[in-house]
Amino acid sequence: IKFPPQDVLQLKSYYLSSSVHVDSIDYLIGYNYRLHSLDCMNLKSKSVTQIVLPGDGPDAIVRLSGIYAQSLDSVWISDESERAFLIDSVGTIKRMIDLKKYLEDQEQLLINTNYAMFTSHLFYNASRHSLMFLVKHTPSNTFIVKEAFIDEVGKMATYQLSSSKVVPDMSKGYAYINFPNVNFVGENIVYNYPVESSIYMLDIRTNERKYILADSHYTSNIIEKCTTSGDYATLEKHWLENSHFYDIMYLPKYKIYARLHADKVDFDEKKGMEKLINERDLYLMLFDENMEKIGETKLSNCRYSPFTSWNATYGGIALFVDNVLDEKNNTDDLTIDIISLK
């Protein structure tokens, strides 16, 4: 989908976005960090409208950390001040929830979309009137999902996530990637770890846990431990020389799950970091509603950014076409590929 020039200044790709399906039309709502706005992309009419966020004053919203679009007129966002806001289609704040009130002393809020590290989403559960988000208990190095019931002051539930069965201890040798990717599908918390290919599920009603082997046929399924404690360049080299597993997405139309992951690259210093990062191969794996593997395929090379590129929609996966090595798409135009099932 190639968007024509717009009246608003949109980005070429959005590292933070959420999709919503209204009247058989898919929309992506992305955070435009340059203009501090939410850009609403209509994938059918190829038009972009903008919701400008208040950047100063008592209701100032700072840089966003999460977006969950419930509808076009009800978008939950979280920012770096650790607050969540419900905003309507013109940017009016309908509700504000201070997430810090749900944290204990040694807990750290983890709402984040960073494909070099981990992705844990903000989620609003409409049937339970609750916000859900990931928290790290620092002393024990364990991860918890908290559910804040926003209509009942102070009421919350907590759900302990299982540690990785493949790499139970990530405290050393996995800097920046020793956090889970966390997503929410109905009453299930669906999570995985960037360092290995397994998928984990937790049903919040029954507390039933599932462990799914989701090995790739094409790449290594576990990341080697980084044995040298070094500077950022060492960590970046380690990140490139290993696979990286991204968060689990859900396509409601087909009741299937999808996961992208990046293959390792052969580290060649002469090429330079930018080229190495952008020529990584991306693989897509699909699973049915029972988490049985349907298939796996390699995506087009040098077409998507390994940092800002994708989101599940109602019936497919939207990928922003944005890669510095892509000579065919080297303008700032907004182009989105949709991978959908036939």
Side-chain angles (χ1 to χ4, degrees), residues 19-233:
S19 69
V20 64
H21 185 75
V22 185
D23 299 331
S24 74
I25 297 171
D26 281 316
Y27 296 84
L28 282 180
I29 296 178
Y31 176 50
N32 184 331
Y33 64 93
R34 287 189 185 148
L35 299 178
H36 193 50
S37 66
L38 290 178
D39 292 4
C40 185
M41 295 157 258
N42 180 323
L43 300 188
K44 190 174 181 186
S45 67
K46 303 179 194 171
S47 58
V48 184
T49 54
Q50 229 157 35
I51 303 168
V52 179
L53 300 172
D56 44 36
D59 288 334
I61 296 170
V62 296
R63 192 179 177 101
L64 298 194
S65 58
I67 303 177
Y68 177 76
Q70 192 187 341
S71 69
L72 289 173
D73 204 38
S74 296
V75 181
W76 282 99
I77 55 177
S78 59
D79 73 357
E80 289 178 354
S81 73
E82 303 193 333
R83 293 176 300 166
F85 304 87
L86 176 63
I87 62 165
D88 66 11
S89 55
V90 291
T92 309
I93 297 171
K94 296 295 191 189
R95 290 196 75 156
M96 193 278 288
I97 311 283
D98 187 357
L99 300 178
K100 290 190 286 295
K101 288 183 177 161
Y102 295 92
L103 301 179
E104 308 289 329
D105 279 353
Q106 293 177 303
E107 288 180 343
Q108 176 190 3
L109 179 67
L110 296 171
I111 302 173
N112 186 39
T113 295
N114 184 330
Y115 292 141
M117 294 167 66
F118 69 101
T119 297
S120 65
H121 296 273
L122 174 71
F123 177 67
Y124 177 69
N125 187 319
S127 61
R128 295 164 67 97
H129 299 283
S130 63
L131 282 172
M132 300 182 76
F133 46 88
L134 178 68
V135 167
K136 180 182 183 183
H137 182 249
T138 313
S140 64
N141 211 20
T142 53
F143 297 98
I144 305 156
V145 164
K146 295 217 168 181
E147 179 177 24
F149 296 93
I150 56 177
D151 294 335
E152 302 169 67
V153 177
K155 186 186 171 190
M156 68 173 177
T158 59
Y159 309 95
Q160 180 101 24
L161 300 188
S162 307
S163 54
S164 162
K165 288 189 191 298
V166 181
V167 189
D169 181 12
M170 296 182 202
S171 53
K172 291 189 177 64
Y174 298 98
Y176 299 125
I177 48 173
N178 56 355
F179 300 89
N181 300 313
V182 178
N183 213 334
F184 303 90
V185 179
E187 314 300 316
N188 284 300
I189 302 169
V190 187
Y191 59 105
N192 64 329
Y193 291 88
V195 302
E196 55 106 347
S197 60
S198 312
I199 298 170
Y200 305 80
M201 288 179 98
L202 171 57
D203 185 321
I204 62 174
R205 291 164 306 187
T206 62
N207 213 28
E208 182 195 354
R209 291 172 187 267
K210 284 186 189 160
Y211 169 62
I212 299 108
L213 287 168
D215 287 2
S216 167
H217 288 303
Y218 297 104
T219 70
S220 165
N221 286 293
I222 182 168
I223 288 180
E224 302 294 327
K225 200 168 182 171
C226 184
T227 47
T228 52
S229 60
D231 53 8
Y232 182 69

Side-chain angles (χ1 to χ4, degrees), residues 289-329:
E289 60 183 313
N290 302 312
M291 273 295 178
E292 297 288 332
K293 202 184 294 179
I294 299 172
E296 182 180 14
T297 183
K298 181 172 169 288
L299 301 186
S300 302
N301 186 257
C302 299
R303 185 163 172 84
Y304 313 113
S305 158
F307 295 127
T308 61
S309 239
W310 53 83
N311 208 315
T313 63
Y314 178 66
I317 295 158
L319 296 109
F320 295 105
V321 176
D322 185 6
N323 186 299
V324 293
L325 305 179
D326 185 355
E327 286 164 5
K328 291 198 280 289
N329 294 284

